[in-house]
Amino acid sequence: MLDLKIEGGLVIDGTGTAGGRADVGVRDEEIVAVGNLDREAAGNRLNAAGRVVAPGFIDMHSHSDWRLWANRRAESKIRQGVTTEVVGNCGFSPAPTATEFLDDLRGFALYVPRGMDFHWRSVADYLTALDGEGTAVNVIQLVGHGTLRIATMGFARRAPSTAEVSRMQGLLAQGIEDGAWGLSTGLIYAPGSYATTEEIVQVAGAAARRRGFYASHIRGEGATLLDAVREAIRVGREAELPVQVSHLKAAGRPNWGKVAEALALIDGARAEGLDVMADVYPYTASSTTLRTLLPDWALEGGLDAMVKRLGDPEVRERIRRELAAPVTGQSLLDRIGWENIMISYAPRRKDAEGKRLSEIGAARGLDPVDAALELIVDEAGKAYMILFQLDEADLRRALAHPHIMIGSDGSALAPYGELGAGKPHPRSYGTFPRVLGEYAREQRVLSLSQAVHKMTGLPARRLGLGTRGVIRVGAKADLVVFDPKRVGDLATYEDPHRYPAGIEDVIVNGRFVIKNGEHTGSLPGRVLPSPWRGSS
Ligand SMILES: [Zn+2]
């Protein structure tokens, strides 16, 4: 007797091959039968006629680790069909921590919801705390290099000593022992940006010895994109571990077209025998904290020091000069004008949300640079922006490449409560249905089964996750049932807090989280420890 029989759907199994009509049988947490199951009795049945049955989607690049503390229902992700999220990206993870540098970590954090109290120190204690109350989605944790550096030396803008490198290596090794899957870096974010390639190679070596992988928000995504991709590949070669280039893009009009060259570098590295892949989100705008516009030195010592510094007119003048000055031949304004930067989150200055820096400046009688600096100070460094700076042709090229998978770079949000604030990038609500609807069905940039593969089997291969990302007997019952004719994103930049269309049933570890389009309140997701935990 089956617990659940999903009947008559088009099963696209995640391997990249075309789908076929089949029933899927689930018992407890596992898929136990695939095929014609007419004769099988089942406690529960779901009619999937006219719909696709796919493995639950794996969001290869997520920042939900912070937001899950505010809402464990993971609304904006589970409603896209995401059943597993890879978190701890771009150098940011909530653990490990050191008591003396806790305030630095809070300042560094992408978003600290009410209720996130940092009572943990180790990755083990953190994961136990997260897992304890359950989540709607499964969680795969990476350890952030920025977090490791803060736990070791705070926000210091200098090279680590030999002892400090050893401490970072030790913390990372212990983090992987505790269940994390690898190391992430954010090389545009202080203090990660203070690190040399040699430091990254040394720290990453501790992950390599435990079979972890390296995910990087690389050091430049504009004028210096290709050097930055080369640096990521070099870390893989020298530290001997797989490399995941995060949210591949060529930012700024003068750099459009460079994604082709970046993909050629990745192909070249693969031909050399290195395991290099990348992920992408299906939008032509990016999003990050507003303070990322500032030169590196302005963030030295952490956010409080930064806010204090920005009060000095001479500092402001120096920032204005540096933003106007070309770096590698391009200034910020050559790459992207103020009119292409929209404020997406500014809880103390709600008037600014949804507006461009050019408009905000004009309305306040300020130069846009001063409007930006004022916002950074008013929000104590926690404001977010959306940058309209990417090329559609680059995006299509990345989506079509065989070793590029899908990652939202977003978080699990909700249209209500604390997480419904602001006008966040729509990727947190629309990434997966947008690939299926806009890029597979409408634009035919890739086939439906390729699109599903990039959300399931391919990230599972990157992770070494044998029992998910695929529909076969013995796999975990993480499943999504969607209507291929209707599936699509509805979230926009103007109106981002909107769930997608066409995804009515989502199952995590054998239990419905979305049923007939409604959240059941069930929290069957769990923290997935890496398969190599305790192997050293
Ligand atoms: Zn990033």
Side-chain angles (χ1 to χ4, degrees), residues 169-228:
Q169 290 171 328
L171 287 171
L172 175 59
Q174 187 60 51
I176 294 177
E177 287 288 305
D178 290 350
W181 294 61
L183 173 71
S184 81
T185 55
L187 299 180
I188 69 159
Y189 300 111
S193 56
Y194 302 150
T196 60
T197 310
E198 289 71 21
E199 175 184 330
I200 304 298
V201 168
Q202 286 180 313
V203 175
R209 286 189 286 280
R210 286 162 182 79
R211 303 183 61 188
F213 72 101
Y214 173 63
S216 184
H217 178 149
I218 58 179
R219 209 178 285 272
E221 298 181 321
T224 57
L225 170 67
L226 300 177
D227 284 340

Short mmCIF file of all heavy atoms in Angstrom, two decimals, residues 169-228:
data_model
loop_
_atom_site.label_atom_id
_atom_site.label_comp_id
_atom_site.label_asym_id
_atom_site.label_seq_id
_atom_site.Cartn_x
_atom_site.Cartn_y
_atom_site.Cartn_z
N GLN A 169 41.01 27.92 8.89
CA GLN A 169 40.99 26.55 8.37
C GLN A 169 40.34 25.60 9.36
O GLN A 169 39.53 24.74 8.99
CB GLN A 169 42.42 26.07 8.08
CG GLN A 169 43.06 26.78 6.89
CD GLN A 169 44.55 26.46 6.76
OE1 GLN A 169 45.23 26.25 7.77
NE2 GLN A 169 45.05 26.44 5.54
N GLY A 170 40.68 25.79 10.63
CA GLY A 170 40.13 24.92 11.67
C GLY A 170 38.62 25.08 11.81
O GLY A 170 37.88 24.11 11.94
N LEU A 171 38.17 26.34 11.77
CA LEU A 171 36.74 26.61 11.89
C LEU A 171 35.98 26.02 10.69
O LEU A 171 34.88 25.48 10.84
CB LEU A 171 36.47 28.12 11.97
CG LEU A 171 36.85 28.80 13.29
CD1 LEU A 171 36.75 30.32 13.14
CD2 LEU A 171 35.94 28.32 14.43
N LEU A 172 36.57 26.14 9.50
CA LEU A 172 35.91 25.61 8.31
C LEU A 172 35.87 24.08 8.37
O LEU A 172 34.83 23.47 8.09
CB LEU A 172 36.64 26.09 7.04
CG LEU A 172 36.14 25.50 5.72
CD1 LEU A 172 34.67 25.80 5.50
CD2 LEU A 172 36.98 26.04 4.56
N ALA A 173 37.00 23.48 8.73
CA ALA A 173 37.05 22.02 8.82
C ALA A 173 36.00 21.52 9.82
O ALA A 173 35.25 20.57 9.54
CB ALA A 173 38.44 21.57 9.26
N GLN A 174 35.90 22.21 10.96
CA GLN A 174 34.91 21.81 11.96
C GLN A 174 33.50 22.03 11.42
O GLN A 174 32.60 21.21 11.66
CB GLN A 174 35.12 22.62 13.25
CG GLN A 174 34.23 22.15 14.40
CD GLN A 174 34.50 20.69 14.77
OE1 GLN A 174 35.64 20.29 14.99
NE2 GLN A 174 33.43 19.87 14.82
N GLY A 175 33.30 23.13 10.66
CA GLY A 175 31.99 23.41 10.08
C GLY A 175 31.54 22.28 9.16
O GLY A 175 30.36 21.90 9.15
N ILE A 176 32.47 21.76 8.39
CA ILE A 176 32.12 20.65 7.48
C ILE A 176 31.89 19.37 8.29
O ILE A 176 30.95 18.63 8.03
CB ILE A 176 33.20 20.50 6.38
CG1 ILE A 176 33.15 21.76 5.49
CG2 ILE A 176 32.97 19.24 5.56
CD1 ILE A 176 34.19 21.82 4.41
N GLU A 177 32.72 19.17 9.31
CA GLU A 177 32.45 18.06 10.24
C GLU A 177 31.04 18.16 10.81
O GLU A 177 30.36 17.17 11.04
CB GLU A 177 33.44 18.10 11.42
CG GLU A 177 34.84 17.69 11.09
CD GLU A 177 34.94 16.20 10.85
OE1 GLU A 177 34.55 15.44 11.74
OE2 GLU A 177 35.40 15.82 9.76
N ASP A 178 30.61 19.39 11.03
CA ASP A 178 29.31 19.64 11.66
C ASP A 178 28.14 19.55 10.67
O ASP A 178 26.99 19.70 11.07
CB ASP A 178 29.30 21.04 12.29
CG ASP A 178 30.20 21.15 13.52
OD1 ASP A 178 30.68 20.11 14.00
OD2 ASP A 178 30.42 22.28 13.99
N GLY A 179 28.45 19.41 9.38
CA GLY A 179 27.35 19.23 8.43
C GLY A 179 27.31 20.19 7.26
O GLY A 179 26.45 20.06 6.38
N ALA A 180 28.22 21.17 7.21
CA ALA A 180 28.23 22.10 6.07
C ALA A 180 28.85 21.41 4.85
O ALA A 180 29.54 20.39 4.98
CB ALA A 180 29.00 23.36 6.42
N TRP A 181 28.60 21.99 3.67
CA TRP A 181 28.96 21.35 2.42
C TRP A 181 30.16 21.98 1.73
O TRP A 181 30.59 21.49 0.69
CB TRP A 181 27.77 21.36 1.46
CG TRP A 181 26.63 20.52 1.94
CD1 TRP A 181 25.92 20.68 3.08
CD2 TRP A 181 26.10 19.36 1.29
NE1 TRP A 181 24.96 19.70 3.18
CE2 TRP A 181 25.04 18.89 2.09
CE3 TRP A 181 26.38 18.69 0.09
CZ2 TRP A 181 24.27 17.78 1.76
CZ3 TRP A 181 25.63 17.58 -0.25
CH2 TRP A 181 24.58 17.13 0.58
N GLY A 182 30.65 23.09 2.25
CA GLY A 182 31.78 23.72 1.59
C GLY A 182 31.94 25.16 2.03
O GLY A 182 31.35 25.59 3.03
N LEU A 183 32.73 25.88 1.23
CA LEU A 183 33.10 27.27 1.54
C LEU A 183 32.50 28.19 0.49
O LEU A 183 32.51 27.88 -0.69
CB LEU A 183 34.63 27.39 1.49
CG LEU A 183 35.22 28.79 1.63
CD1 LEU A 183 35.05 29.31 3.07
CD2 LEU A 183 36.70 28.79 1.23
N SER A 184 31.98 29.33 0.94
CA SER A 184 31.58 30.36 -0.02
C SER A 184 32.41 31.61 0.22
O SER A 184 32.85 31.87 1.35
CB SER A 184 30.09 30.69 0.13
OG SER A 184 29.87 31.59 1.21
N THR A 185 32.63 32.38 -0.85
CA THR A 185 33.27 33.69 -0.67
C THR A 185 32.40 34.77 -1.32
O THR A 185 31.64 34.51 -2.24
CB THR A 185 34.66 33.77 -1.32
OG1 THR A 185 34.56 33.42 -2.71
CG2 THR A 185 35.66 32.87 -0.64
N GLY A 186 32.55 35.97 -0.80
CA GLY A 186 31.95 37.17 -1.40
C GLY A 186 33.07 38.18 -1.53
O GLY A 186 33.32 38.95 -0.61
N LEU A 187 33.75 38.16 -2.66
CA LEU A 187 35.01 38.91 -2.77
C LEU A 187 34.80 40.37 -3.15
O LEU A 187 35.76 41.11 -3.37
CB LEU A 187 35.95 38.20 -3.75
CG LEU A 187 36.32 36.78 -3.30
CD1 LEU A 187 37.26 36.12 -4.30
CD2 LEU A 187 36.94 36.76 -1.90
N ILE A 188 33.52 40.82 -3.19
CA ILE A 188 33.28 42.27 -3.31
C ILE A 188 32.81 42.84 -1.98
O ILE A 188 32.60 44.03 -1.85
CB ILE A 188 32.23 42.61 -4.40
CG1 ILE A 188 30.83 42.14 -3.99
CG2 ILE A 188 32.63 42.03 -5.75
CD1 ILE A 188 29.72 42.86 -4.74
N TYR A 189 32.59 41.96 -1.00
CA TYR A 189 32.06 42.42 0.28
C TYR A 189 33.16 42.43 1.34
O TYR A 189 33.78 41.40 1.59
CB TYR A 189 30.94 41.50 0.76
CG TYR A 189 29.76 41.42 -0.18
CD1 TYR A 189 29.49 40.26 -0.89
CD2 TYR A 189 28.93 42.53 -0.36
CE1 TYR A 189 28.40 40.19 -1.75
CE2 TYR A 189 27.85 42.46 -1.22
CZ TYR A 189 27.59 41.29 -1.92
OH TYR A 189 26.52 41.24 -2.77
N ALA A 190 33.36 43.58 1.99
CA ALA A 190 34.28 43.61 3.13
C ALA A 190 33.67 42.76 4.25
O ALA A 190 32.46 42.79 4.42
CB ALA A 190 34.47 45.04 3.61
N PRO A 191 34.46 41.95 4.96
CA PRO A 191 35.92 41.86 4.88
C PRO A 191 36.44 40.81 3.89
O PRO A 191 37.65 40.69 3.74
CB PRO A 191 36.30 41.45 6.31
CG PRO A 191 35.16 40.59 6.76
CD PRO A 191 33.93 41.18 6.11
N GLY A 192 35.54 40.08 3.19
CA GLY A 192 36.02 39.11 2.21
C GLY A 192 36.89 39.75 1.15
O GLY A 192 37.88 39.16 0.68
N SER A 193 36.55 40.98 0.79
CA SER A 193 37.29 41.69 -0.26
C SER A 193 38.71 42.03 0.18
O SER A 193 39.55 42.37 -0.66
CB SER A 193 36.54 42.97 -0.64
OG SER A 193 36.33 43.78 0.51
N TYR A 194 38.99 41.96 1.47
CA TYR A 194 40.35 42.24 1.96
C TYR A 194 41.30 41.05 1.73
O TYR A 194 42.49 41.16 1.95
CB TYR A 194 40.34 42.58 3.45
CG TYR A 194 39.47 43.78 3.83
CD1 TYR A 194 38.86 43.85 5.09
CD2 TYR A 194 39.26 44.83 2.94
CE1 TYR A 194 38.07 44.94 5.45
CE2 TYR A 194 38.46 45.91 3.30
CZ TYR A 194 37.87 45.97 4.55
OH TYR A 194 37.09 47.04 4.90
N ALA A 195 40.73 39.92 1.33
CA ALA A 195 41.54 38.70 1.22
C ALA A 195 42.22 38.61 -0.14
O ALA A 195 41.64 38.93 -1.17
CB ALA A 195 40.66 37.47 1.41
N THR A 196 43.45 38.13 -0.14
CA THR A 196 44.16 37.85 -1.39
C THR A 196 43.73 36.46 -1.89
O THR A 196 43.15 35.66 -1.15
CB THR A 196 45.68 37.79 -1.15
OG1 THR A 196 45.93 36.75 -0.19
CG2 THR A 196 46.21 39.12 -0.62
N THR A 197 44.08 36.19 -3.14
CA THR A 197 43.81 34.85 -3.70
C THR A 197 44.52 33.79 -2.85
O THR A 197 43.95 32.72 -2.60
CB THR A 197 44.31 34.77 -5.16
OG1 THR A 197 43.81 35.89 -5.88
CG2 THR A 197 43.84 33.48 -5.82
N GLU A 198 45.74 34.11 -2.40
CA GLU A 198 46.51 33.12 -1.62
C GLU A 198 45.76 32.76 -0.34
O GLU A 198 45.72 31.59 0.07
CB GLU A 198 47.90 33.67 -1.28
CG GLU A 198 48.85 33.75 -2.47
CD GLU A 198 48.49 34.86 -3.48
OE1 GLU A 198 47.77 35.82 -3.10
OE2 GLU A 198 48.92 34.75 -4.64
N GLU A 199 45.17 33.77 0.30
CA GLU A 199 44.40 33.48 1.52
C GLU A 199 43.23 32.54 1.21
O GLU A 199 42.98 31.57 1.94
CB GLU A 199 43.87 34.79 2.13
CG GLU A 199 42.96 34.57 3.33
CD GLU A 199 42.36 35.87 3.89
OE1 GLU A 199 42.99 36.94 3.78
OE2 GLU A 199 41.23 35.81 4.44
N ILE A 200 42.53 32.82 0.10
CA ILE A 200 41.38 31.97 -0.25
C ILE A 200 41.83 30.54 -0.53
O ILE A 200 41.19 29.58 -0.10
CB ILE A 200 40.63 32.55 -1.49
CG1 ILE A 200 40.20 34.01 -1.26
CG2 ILE A 200 39.42 31.68 -1.82
CD1 ILE A 200 39.24 34.22 -0.14
N VAL A 201 42.94 30.41 -1.26
CA VAL A 201 43.45 29.07 -1.58
C VAL A 201 43.76 28.32 -0.29
O VAL A 201 43.39 27.15 -0.12
CB VAL A 201 44.71 29.15 -2.48
CG1 VAL A 201 45.41 27.79 -2.57
CG2 VAL A 201 44.32 29.65 -3.88
N GLN A 202 44.40 29.01 0.64
CA GLN A 202 44.77 28.34 1.90
C GLN A 202 43.54 27.91 2.69
O GLN A 202 43.46 26.79 3.18
CB GLN A 202 45.62 29.28 2.76
CG GLN A 202 47.03 29.43 2.22
CD GLN A 202 47.85 30.37 3.09
OE1 GLN A 202 47.41 31.46 3.45
NE2 GLN A 202 49.05 29.95 3.44
N VAL A 203 42.57 28.82 2.80
CA VAL A 203 41.37 28.48 3.58
C VAL A 203 40.58 27.38 2.88
O VAL A 203 40.14 26.40 3.48
CB VAL A 203 40.50 29.73 3.83
CG1 VAL A 203 39.20 29.35 4.54
CG2 VAL A 203 41.27 30.76 4.66
N ALA A 204 40.43 27.51 1.54
CA ALA A 204 39.65 26.52 0.78
C ALA A 204 40.26 25.12 0.89
O ALA A 204 39.54 24.12 0.81
CB ALA A 204 39.54 26.94 -0.68
N GLY A 205 41.57 25.07 1.08
CA GLY A 205 42.23 23.78 1.22
C GLY A 205 41.63 22.94 2.34
O GLY A 205 41.55 21.71 2.25
N ALA A 206 41.16 23.62 3.39
CA ALA A 206 40.56 22.90 4.52
C ALA A 206 39.24 22.26 4.11
O ALA A 206 38.84 21.23 4.64
CB ALA A 206 40.35 23.85 5.69
N ALA A 207 38.54 22.88 3.14
CA ALA A 207 37.30 22.28 2.63
C ALA A 207 37.63 21.13 1.70
O ALA A 207 36.97 20.09 1.71
CB ALA A 207 36.45 23.33 1.92
N ALA A 208 38.66 21.34 0.87
CA ALA A 208 39.04 20.31 -0.11
C ALA A 208 39.35 18.99 0.58
O ALA A 208 38.96 17.93 0.12
CB ALA A 208 40.25 20.79 -0.91
N ARG A 209 40.05 19.09 1.72
CA ARG A 209 40.44 17.87 2.42
C ARG A 209 39.23 17.12 2.96
O ARG A 209 39.33 15.96 3.31
CB ARG A 209 41.43 18.19 3.55
CG ARG A 209 42.82 18.52 3.01
CD ARG A 209 43.86 18.63 4.12
NE ARG A 209 43.73 19.85 4.90
CZ ARG A 209 44.20 21.05 4.50
NH1 ARG A 209 44.81 21.17 3.34
NH2 ARG A 209 44.05 22.10 5.26
N ARG A 210 38.09 17.80 3.03
CA ARG A 210 36.86 17.14 3.49
C ARG A 210 35.82 17.04 2.38
O ARG A 210 34.65 16.93 2.63
CB ARG A 210 36.31 17.87 4.70
CG ARG A 210 37.16 17.55 5.91
CD ARG A 210 36.98 18.52 7.05
NE ARG A 210 37.89 18.15 8.13
CZ ARG A 210 39.20 18.45 8.13
NH1 ARG A 210 39.74 19.11 7.14
NH2 ARG A 210 39.94 18.08 9.14
N ARG A 211 36.27 17.13 1.13
CA ARG A 211 35.44 16.95 -0.06
C ARG A 211 34.37 18.01 -0.21
O ARG A 211 33.38 17.80 -0.90
CB ARG A 211 34.84 15.53 -0.06
CG ARG A 211 35.91 14.46 0.00
CD ARG A 211 35.34 13.07 -0.08
NE ARG A 211 34.61 12.87 -1.34
CZ ARG A 211 33.89 11.80 -1.59
NH1 ARG A 211 33.78 10.85 -0.69
NH2 ARG A 211 33.27 11.67 -2.74
N GLY A 212 34.55 19.15 0.42
CA GLY A 212 33.61 20.24 0.22
C GLY A 212 33.87 20.94 -1.10
O GLY A 212 34.89 20.71 -1.75
N PHE A 213 32.97 21.81 -1.52
CA PHE A 213 33.19 22.57 -2.74
C PHE A 213 33.29 24.05 -2.42
O PHE A 213 33.03 24.48 -1.29
CB PHE A 213 32.13 22.27 -3.80
CG PHE A 213 30.76 22.83 -3.52
CD1 PHE A 213 30.32 23.99 -4.16
CD2 PHE A 213 29.89 22.19 -2.65
CE1 PHE A 213 29.06 24.52 -3.92
CE2 PHE A 213 28.63 22.71 -2.39
CZ PHE A 213 28.22 23.87 -3.02
N TYR A 214 33.66 24.82 -3.44
CA TYR A 214 33.92 26.25 -3.29
C TYR A 214 32.94 27.03 -4.16
O TYR A 214 32.94 26.87 -5.38
CB TYR A 214 35.36 26.54 -3.71
CG TYR A 214 35.73 28.01 -3.76
CD1 TYR A 214 35.70 28.79 -2.61
CD2 TYR A 214 36.11 28.61 -4.96
CE1 TYR A 214 36.04 30.14 -2.66
CE2 TYR A 214 36.45 29.95 -5.01
CZ TYR A 214 36.41 30.71 -3.86
OH TYR A 214 36.74 32.04 -3.90
N ALA A 215 32.09 27.84 -3.54
CA ALA A 215 31.16 28.70 -4.28
C ALA A 215 31.60 30.13 -4.11
O ALA A 215 31.86 30.58 -2.99
CB ALA A 215 29.74 28.52 -3.73
N SER A 216 31.69 30.86 -5.21
CA SER A 216 32.23 32.22 -5.09
C SER A 216 31.39 33.27 -5.79
O SER A 216 31.06 33.15 -6.97
CB SER A 216 33.66 32.26 -5.67
OG SER A 216 34.21 33.56 -5.47
N HIS A 217 31.06 34.31 -5.02
CA HIS A 217 30.68 35.58 -5.62
C HIS A 217 32.02 36.22 -5.93
O HIS A 217 32.72 36.68 -5.05
CB HIS A 217 29.85 36.42 -4.64
CG HIS A 217 29.47 37.77 -5.18
ND1 HIS A 217 28.31 38.40 -4.84
CD2 HIS A 217 30.10 38.59 -6.06
CE1 HIS A 217 28.23 39.56 -5.48
NE2 HIS A 217 29.31 39.70 -6.21
N ILE A 218 32.37 36.20 -7.19
CA ILE A 218 33.73 36.50 -7.61
C ILE A 218 34.06 37.99 -7.45
O ILE A 218 33.18 38.80 -7.21
CB ILE A 218 33.98 36.00 -9.05
CG1 ILE A 218 32.98 36.63 -10.02
CG2 ILE A 218 33.89 34.47 -9.08
CD1 ILE A 218 33.19 36.18 -11.46
N ARG A 219 35.34 38.31 -7.60
CA ARG A 219 35.86 39.61 -7.20
C ARG A 219 35.38 40.76 -8.09
O ARG A 219 35.44 41.92 -7.69
CB ARG A 219 37.40 39.55 -7.18
CG ARG A 219 38.02 40.49 -6.19
CD ARG A 219 39.54 40.34 -6.17
NE ARG A 219 40.03 39.15 -5.50
CZ ARG A 219 40.31 39.08 -4.18
NH1 ARG A 219 40.10 40.13 -3.41
NH2 ARG A 219 40.77 37.97 -3.65
N GLY A 220 34.93 40.43 -9.28
CA GLY A 220 34.41 41.48 -10.16
C GLY A 220 33.44 40.88 -11.15
O GLY A 220 33.65 39.76 -11.63
N GLU A 221 32.36 41.59 -11.43
CA GLU A 221 31.38 41.09 -12.39
C GLU A 221 31.20 42.08 -13.53
O GLU A 221 30.28 41.96 -14.32
CB GLU A 221 30.04 40.82 -11.69
CG GLU A 221 30.17 39.76 -10.62
CD GLU A 221 28.87 39.43 -9.90
OE1 GLU A 221 28.07 40.36 -9.64
OE2 GLU A 221 28.65 38.25 -9.60
N GLY A 222 32.08 43.09 -13.59
CA GLY A 222 32.01 44.10 -14.64
C GLY A 222 33.28 44.08 -15.47
O GLY A 222 33.59 43.09 -16.13
N ALA A 223 34.03 45.18 -15.37
CA ALA A 223 35.26 45.31 -16.17
C ALA A 223 36.24 44.18 -15.87
O ALA A 223 36.99 43.75 -16.75
CB ALA A 223 35.92 46.65 -15.88
N THR A 224 36.23 43.69 -14.62
CA THR A 224 37.22 42.68 -14.21
C THR A 224 36.65 41.26 -14.19
O THR A 224 37.24 40.36 -13.58
CB THR A 224 37.78 43.02 -12.82
OG1 THR A 224 36.67 43.11 -11.91
CG2 THR A 224 38.52 44.35 -12.83
N LEU A 225 35.51 41.07 -14.86
CA LEU A 225 34.83 39.76 -14.81
C LEU A 225 35.76 38.59 -15.16
O LEU A 225 35.81 37.59 -14.45
CB LEU A 225 33.62 39.77 -15.78
CG LEU A 225 32.97 38.41 -16.02
CD1 LEU A 225 32.29 37.89 -14.75
CD2 LEU A 225 31.94 38.49 -17.15
N LEU A 226 36.48 38.72 -16.26
CA LEU A 226 37.24 37.55 -16.73
C LEU A 226 38.40 37.22 -15.79
O LEU A 226 38.66 36.04 -15.51
CB LEU A 226 37.72 37.77 -18.17
CG LEU A 226 36.56 37.99 -19.16
CD1 LEU A 226 37.08 38.27 -20.55
CD2 LEU A 226 35.60 36.81 -19.18
N ASP A 227 39.06 38.27 -15.25
CA ASP A 227 40.11 38.01 -14.25
C ASP A 227 39.51 37.34 -13.03
O ASP A 227 40.14 36.48 -12.41
CB ASP A 227 40.79 39.32 -13.84
CG ASP A 227 41.76 39.81 -14.90
OD1 ASP A 227 42.17 38.98 -15.74
OD2 ASP A 227 42.09 41.01 -14.90
N ALA A 228 38.31 37.76 -12.68
CA ALA A 228 37.68 37.19 -11.48
C ALA A 228 37.30 35.73 -11.70
O ALA A 228 37.44 34.90 -10.79
CB ALA A 228 36.45 38.02 -11.12
#
